[in-house]
Amino acid sequence: MPEVSSKEYPHNVLLRSLEEAASVLGAAIGLRQPQVGLILGSGLNGLAECIEDPVHIPFADVPHMKTSTAAGHVGRFVCGTLGGKTALCMQGRLHGYEGNTAQEVAFPVWLMHHLGIDTLITTNAAGAINEAFHVGDFCIMEDHINLTGRNPIVGTEPNEMALRFFSMLDAYDPALRQLAVEVAHELDIPVQQGTYLGLLGPSFETPAEIRAFRMLGADTVAMSVCEEVIAARHVGMRVLGMSLVSNMACGIEGASPTDEEVRAVGKQREADFCRFVPAILERI
Ligand code: HPA
């Protein structure tokens, strides 16, 4: 065993953890070579049941992975075929508000990259700030405003996996965005496009915050996605981000969001979500 100096050790911890996790998850998925990573948000976990020839791996079985504690988030990987592609799906996600660090939230995204996946589709339920949006619409993320106050690259060493400084221009891949909108129109699924604003949560926003976020240019708001997308762009993955508008944001038309309503709308829109995502995958 080579001696590890205190200077070298922190530098390698993340990479070593990823290698250990990738070897366990890679062995569990066997000969499947996933092409696409999929993260399913609140109320949207049902899509994983549409995956053909699935293998299920609980997050708890993968070294260094945290587990999901949020209601409705199953907390396992499901690997199999969806829309003709081999997909590695997170049935449930890790949120900052559960007490996970930004790197713990980012870990499964980097793990996907380690397994050779170059495309990430991340989904969530979100509140609409834009009053032209309707509950039940899907919204393709054009860009984000990260107000979580956190960034998963903080503390990683330059060149540990990639450069420290990297561009977030077109972080949400323009070609994938266009494809998603085309597919939605073809399937007659109501779709919007807009800027997503990510917060740490878990309290919902105040009406004053929602008014402020509207002035900043945000169309939707929720408590996930930004850290995952930063991690994915750090290692050069293509990203598609998609929200289901589960509610109007707090204060709009008197709205006061609840977790139950968020998950109920996910259930109501599950059939369209299960048509939408596989149809995108078919054309990726
Ligand atoms: N705010 C924050 N997160 C959310 C919302 C919301 O209105 N809806 C679903 N997730």
Side-chain angles (χ1 to χ4, degrees), residues 125-128 199 203-205 210 221-223 244 246-250 257 262:
L199 298 168
S203 51
F204 286 110
E205 306 71 42
I210 294 300
V221 60
M223 306 171 192
L244 169 64
S246 55
N247 57 282
M248 299 311 286
C250 187
V262 167

Side-chain angles (χ1 to χ4, degrees), residues 21-196:
S23 91
V24 170
L25 187 54
I29 63 177
L31 293 178
R32 297 169 174 85
Q33 172 53 61
Q35 298 151 286
V36 179
L38 196 53
I39 304 178
L40 300 181
S42 296
L44 302 173
N45 273 222
L47 178 63
E49 310 304 334
C50 304
I51 292 177
E52 296 156 32
D53 303 322
V55 56
H56 300 105
I57 308 105
F59 295 163
D61 289 359
V62 178
H64 311 291
M65 269 287 294
K66 300 304 277 287
T67 55
S68 291
T69 64
H73 288 258
V74 177
R76 63 183 182 184
F77 289 102
V78 184
C79 187
T81 307
L82 192 67
K85 297 287 182 313
T86 305
L88 179 64
C89 172
M90 287 177 73
Q91 195 179 22
R93 64 149 48 82
L94 306 175
H95 301 88
Y97 66 69
E98 294 168 273
N100 299 307
T101 65
Q103 276 191 12
E104 286 166 345
V105 171
F107 189 83
V109 174
W110 285 325
L111 182 52
M112 289 172 176
H113 174 70
H114 251 69
L115 291 171
I117 294 172
D118 64 4
T119 304
L120 173 70
I121 302 181
T122 181
T123 70
N124 71 357
I129 297 174
N130 187 325
E131 295 187 48
F133 292 6
H134 301 100
V135 171
D137 288 350
F138 290 91
C139 181
I140 304 305
M141 297 177 196
E142 294 179 312
D143 205 345
H144 78 213
I145 301 173
N146 176 17
L147 288 190
T148 64
R150 294 145 44 108
N151 190 308
I153 315 307
V154 171
T156 59
E157 294 282 333
N159 297 322
E160 191 174 39
M161 292 182 298
L163 298 177
R164 172 169 279 163
F165 302 107
F166 55 98
S167 173
M168 288 293 284
L169 180 69
D170 288 335
Y172 296 82
D173 188 80
L176 291 179
R177 276 157 41 198
Q178 194 185 334
L179 171 65
V181 171
E182 275 170 25
V183 168
H185 288 155
E186 284 167 24
L187 297 179
D188 212 12
I189 290 174
V191 72
Q192 308 282 356
Q193 299 176 71
T195 296
Y196 166 74

Side-chain angles (χ1 to χ4, degrees), residues 212-273:
F213 298 158
R214 180 180 296 127
M215 285 194 276
L216 290 180
D219 296 294
T220 53
V221 60
M223 306 171 192
S224 57
V225 167
C226 292
E227 290 153 323
E228 298 159 359
V229 172
I230 291 168
R233 291 306 302 148
H234 180 233
V235 291
M237 296 168 82
R238 293 193 302 171
V239 174
L240 177 67
M242 183 195 300
S243 297
L244 169 64
V245 174
S246 55
N247 57 282
M248 299 311 286
C250 187
I252 297 179
E253 298 156 11
S256 176
T258 65
D259 188 38
E260 292 70 30
E261 142 186 56
V262 167
R263 284 186 286 129
V265 172
K267 197 84 208 136
Q268 284 160 21
R269 302 295 293 130
E270 186 170 289
D272 268 355
F273 189 60

